[in-house]
Amino acid sequence: MSQVGSVETPLRVAIIGSGPSGFYAADWLLRQANLVVQIDMFDRLPTPYGLVRGGVAPDHPKIKTVSKVYDKTAANPHFRFYGYVEIGKDISHAELKAHYHQIVYAVGAQTDRRLGVPGEQLEGSHAATEFVAWYNAHPDFHHFTFDLSQTSAAVIGNGNVAMDVARILASSYEELHRTDIADYALEALEHSKVTDIYMLGRRGPAQAAFTNPELKEFGELEDADIIVRPEDIDLDPLSQAAVEREHDATTLKNLATLQEFAKRPLRGKTKRIHMRFLVSPVELEGTNRVEAIKLVKNELQAAPDGSLRARATDQFETLPVGLVFRSIGYMGVALPDVPFDAKGGVIPNEHGRVIDPATKLPVQGEYAVGWIKRGPSGIIGTNKPDALDTVNMMIEDVPNLPALNSADASPEAVEMLIRSRQPEYVSYTDWQILDKLEQDNGAVQGRPRIKFSRIPDMLEALAKAKEQA
Ligand code: NAP
């Protein structure tokens, strides 16, 4: 038997998930000299790109152009895309093991973290991730509804997702029309009555997780004023000392921008974003739906590791709000037959090698990349070195891989299996047809694209386009 990774016996790899981390893993593998590799990338959606399509804010088109890099990877003849194929449903873990030497989990973090306060389940309280997926036309979320007849909304958390949510709520119809926001979301937001958006950070301005370009964007909104109370950005002595010690560029820029916002006179805009710091929700109040949010004022204290943590005081306030978006981080979800650390929301791993929690040893041929490997942190580019870290382990492991049964070890064998399970699977060429249809539909309305949000619509449009070709 020739060595795995040779022309005679290519290394067969399944990548589960088609977001940035999956594509970077594919790219690193395809770049290896002296390694012949056959990659199949699976996604349960018919469309690729993960959070680049379903997470990046619609008014951030530049960030989305990274998909061109993924298209280049996908054009490699050793790469295939199987969209609309779900692991655990259309193909089992055991079948993947039979057909591939190595499996890479690149499934991201598909749910949200919970606040754990009373009233969290009330109507009108939403995970920010649901709102994001809704306005980005994710097929699992197009039917969600958000009561935009409310005038005040709270966004809990001070990360970039919270910034995206607050900015979309505060954008004008004209601003949103220029984007590829889902058509139903554009219509709903056009009629939105939300005028006051409260961004609530549990720590101070010097500890905010958002980055400076996102903060500055608040100041550029056409129809929203930004309200920062000077007393809220006065640093406490612990924060002041940390800022002077660490000289973190993002923090310094954020503080300067917030100071500028605090000095700005109100411009009489229709909407207002109120940035509040050092407050935590203790309860979402309301009878049948959210009517108010009860907040406790926090102060900062130094933790043993030197970080500054929020500690509740005995001062409370209540903000009347009819909508709450909880934006305190994403959380990974377990895959069938794959080890999972439920507390951390990640697949236990060492440099991407999946670890069996019982034996503490690597599970042969299984790897993780991206948010399911390290948790929901970092920007898209963070996934490039992260994927390389995993791919280095994969390559190190190649000499010890057991041989596959020859009947299963071919691209044709997998294709036959998938055709029998999911005859409507979507190839990369199919996706490119859909992509063009979306852009053509957008052009008619002077928009960059109109996304399909329902899988049956995608499949129908695709079948029609292929018939006409
Ligand atoms: P994140 O950056 O981790 O921010 C989470 C926020 O939630 C933090 O402000 C955190 O405060 C707060 N939080 C956590 N638990 C809380 C609690 N119990 N009560 C109140 N607040 C709580 O997460 P994210 O915003 O979901 O973003 C995920 C990743 O995607 C980040 O790396 C982000 O930069 C990236 N992203 C980037 C962009 C972009 O580049 N434009 C856009 C979207 C997302 P503490 O700091 O006090 O823990």
Side-chain angles (χ1 to χ4, degrees):
M1 185 76 183
S2 55
Q3 201 185 323
V4 174
S6 61
V7 177
E8 300 76 32
T9 312
L11 171 68
R12 297 190 37 71
V13 178
I15 298 180
I16 318 302
S18 64
S21 65
F23 268 107
Y24 291 127
D27 184 51
W28 287 119
L29 283 165
L30 291 166
R31 277 168 192 265
Q32 299 303 313
N34 309 320
L35 183 79
V36 181
V37 58
Q38 292 171 341
I39 298 174
D40 288 340
M41 178 179 274
F42 294 86
D43 203 296
R44 68 186 188 85
L45 294 182
T47 53
Y49 309 149
L51 279 184
V52 171
R53 180 176 165 97
V56 172
D59 58 346
H60 283 170
K62 248 196 185 151
I63 298 182
K64 289 173 199 251
T65 57
V66 70
S67 63
K68 300 248 179 307
V69 175
Y70 309 151
D71 293 345
K72 271 196 190 145
T73 303
N76 189 301
H78 297 279
F79 176 98
R80 296 189 303 186
F81 177 66
Y82 283 107
Y84 198 34
V85 176
E86 189 169 342
I87 306 310
K89 184 172 149 249
D90 301 315
I91 182 166
S92 69
H93 179 258
E95 287 164 339
L96 285 176
K97 294 290 271 185
H99 287 87
Y100 298 94
H101 296 105
Q102 295 181 326
I103 306 170
V104 182
Y105 302 109
V107 293
Q110 294 175 37
T111 188
D112 62 296
R113 288 183 53 218
R114 296 293 149 123
L115 268 176
V117 301
E120 190 169 5
Q121 306 307 328
L122 277 173
E123 206 179 313
S125 158
H126 305 277
T129 53
E130 293 168 356
F131 188 59
V132 169
W134 172 77
Y135 66 58
N136 278 328
H138 190 297
D140 292 353
F141 295 86
H142 65 80
H143 59 287
F144 275 51
T145 53
F146 301 90
D147 181 5
L148 299 171
S149 69
Q150 302 295 326
T151 54
S152 294
V155 182
I156 301 165
N158 254 345
N160 278 329
V161 172
M163 301 298 270
D164 286 348
V165 167
R167 194 177 64 255
I168 293 297
L169 285 170
S171 293
S172 66
Y173 173 76
E174 289 69 30
E175 283 169 317
L176 295 176
H177 188 268
R178 296 196 275 270
T179 75
D180 68 359
I181 193 166
D183 49 0
Y184 54 78
L186 178 65
E187 197 189 325
L189 287 159
E190 181 184 7
H191 300 108
S192 167
K193 298 277 181 290
V194 176
T195 51
D196 288 85
I197 300 136
Y198 293 87
M199 279 211 53
L200 307 173
R202 68 173 165 183
R203 296 192 290 161
Q207 292 82 35
F210 51 70
T211 39
N212 194 248
E214 282 69 21
L215 179 61
K216 280 189 163 159
E217 279 175 305
F218 274 4
E220 291 153 15
L221 287 166
E222 283 170 4
D223 199 20
D225 275 318
I226 311 304
I227 301 180
V228 177
R229 305 186 306 196
E231 65 269 28
D232 275 2
I233 53 166
D234 249 357
L235 295 188
D236 59 288
L238 285 174
S239 295
Q240 187 64 44
V243 168
E244 283 166 19
R245 194 174 55 243
E246 290 159 18
H247 257 272
D248 175 68
T250 296
T251 307
L252 293 173
K253 280 190 218 159
N254 281 348
L255 292 174
T257 306
L258 287 166
Q259 268 152 15
E260 196 251 299
F261 286 168
K263 285 187 203 132
R264 268 196 196 188
L266 288 184
R267 296 172 295 170
K269 302 288 184 182
T270 313
K271 297 175 185 176
R272 287 159 293 278
I273 299 178
H274 307 252
M275 298 192 72
R276 300 284 305 277
F277 297 96
L278 289 166
V279 282
S280 283
V282 287
E283 185 174 355
L284 273 50
E285 299 176 342
T287 322
N288 296 318
R289 55 161 298 112
V290 175
E291 290 163 21
I293 185 166
K294 184 174 177 190
L295 303 172
V296 66
K297 178 99 189 125
N298 294 330
E299 57 191 15
L300 293 172
Q301 64 172 3
D305 66 359
S307 64
L308 297 181
R309 303 246 171 99
R311 179 173 59 190
T313 66
D314 56 5
Q315 295 167 47
F316 297 90
E317 72 172 299
T318 301
L319 279 180
V321 292
L323 272 173
V324 171
F325 296 97
R326 309 178 311 263
S327 185
I328 62 167
Y330 285 78
M331 185 85 181
V333 173
L335 281 165
D337 306 316
V338 181
F340 190 64
D341 163 7
K343 195 160 165 265
V346 294
I347 295 176
N349 71 89
E350 277 171 16
H351 292 284
R353 277 187 182 118
V354 176
I355 299 294
D356 179 339
T359 62
K360 308 270 184 269
L361 294 171
V363 179
Q364 193 169 48
E366 297 189 40
Y367 304 86
V369 289
W371 280 5
I372 200 65
K373 169 188 177 186
R374 66 172 197 276
S377 67
I379 56 170
I380 292 168
T382 312
N383 293 299
K384 218 171 169 177
D386 173 279
L388 178 61
D389 176 49
T390 297
V391 165
N392 283 338
M393 298 302 119
M394 293 172 71
I395 292 173
E396 208 175 286
D397 294 346
V398 165
N400 303 318
L401 289 171
L404 296 174
N405 182 334
S406 61
D408 296 328
S410 74
E412 296 76 25
V414 175
E415 189 164 342
M416 254 172 60
L417 177 71
I418 292 167
R419 267 189 202 289
S420 72
R421 301 283 173 73
Q422 179 47 288
E424 293 185 291
Y425 79 83
V426 173
S427 69
Y428 215 76
T429 310
D430 292 340
W431 153 244
Q432 283 166 328
I433 295 171
L434 278 176
D435 186 26
K436 180 159 185 325
L437 281 174
E438 288 191 341
Q439 293 183 49
D440 290 350
N441 292 341
V444 175
Q445 294 186 24
R447 301 188 55 207
R449 76 169 62 228
I450 298 195
K451 286 178 170 179
F452 289 106
S453 61
R454 292 168 175 79
I455 292 177
D457 293 351
M458 291 182 201
L459 300 178
E460 197 187 318
L462 185 58
K464 216 189 249 169
K466 282 164 91 171
E467 223 176 77
Q468 285 165 1

